[in-house]
Amino acid sequence: MDMLEFIRSRRSTRKYRPEMPEREKTEAVLEAGRYAPSGGNNQTTHLIVLTDRDILTALADVVKEEFSKMEVTPGMYASMAGSIRASKTAFYHFHYDAPVLILTANRIDYGNNIADCSCVLENMMLMANA
């Protein structure tokens, strides 16, 4: 498969099996993220791997609570706006009960932080597809 066909075959997933993926697969996804480009080759993006079900549930609760405080604004992502409108407790799912959640983090004062994290995420999504 050529690269463009490979990219075209990637799809977002919103339903996951409860079983933990093989460690080698998770490590391959992380390795792909580590090889992402960064502005000036600063390599300041950190990867945080969460697998503890209690921590994932607590994090989901925090996200729901914070989303319920948001005001619905024009141009807001449709599913987020819908969940806020439907209930002030919000039902927006950001990790869909996946057994592993990989977060990216970068220095808040670094001007290329969002772009660098985005490159890491794209590499990891493509590797997960592979």
Side-chain angles (χ1 to χ4, degrees):
M1 176 182 315
D2 73 6
M3 189 52 137
L4 186 55
E5 286 301 315
F6 179 74
I7 291 169
R8 286 180 179 156
S9 73
R10 194 203 71 74
R11 297 287 180 266
S12 295
T13 303
R14 292 178 182 87
K15 190 170 186 172
Y16 297 93
R17 293 184 213 142
E19 304 88 38
M20 190 70 64
E22 294 88 7
R23 185 177 183 97
E24 296 79 25
K25 289 182 179 179
T26 302
E27 287 177 358
V29 169
L30 293 168
E31 188 71 7
R34 284 194 279 283
Y35 277 93
S38 63
N41 198 31
N42 283 312
Q43 302 293 318
T44 55
T45 302
H46 295 271
L47 301 174
I48 303 159
V49 181
L50 301 174
T51 58
D52 183 285
R53 180 65 55 197
D54 292 336
I55 291 172
L56 290 168
T57 300
L59 183 59
D61 291 343
V62 169
V63 169
K64 289 176 188 178
E65 182 180 331
E66 292 305 311
F67 275 25
S68 71
K69 297 175 187 175
M70 292 173 63
E71 178 182 345
V72 176
T73 58
M76 182 179 273
Y77 188 61
S79 66
M80 185 188 312
S83 69
I84 294 168
R85 281 190 189 107
S87 167
K88 277 309 195 180
T89 59
F91 58 85
Y92 182 73
H93 297 286
F94 75 100
H95 72 85
Y96 298 95
D97 297 318
V100 178
L101 178 64
I102 302 172
L103 303 175
T104 60
N106 209 311
R107 293 187 351 232
I108 197 165
D109 61 345
Y110 171 53
N112 216 46
N113 53 15
I114 294 173
D116 287 2
C117 285
S118 297
C119 289
V120 169
L121 290 168
E122 182 67 14
N123 273 18
M124 290 192 304
M125 286 188 277
L126 290 172
M127 180 53 84
N129 184 50

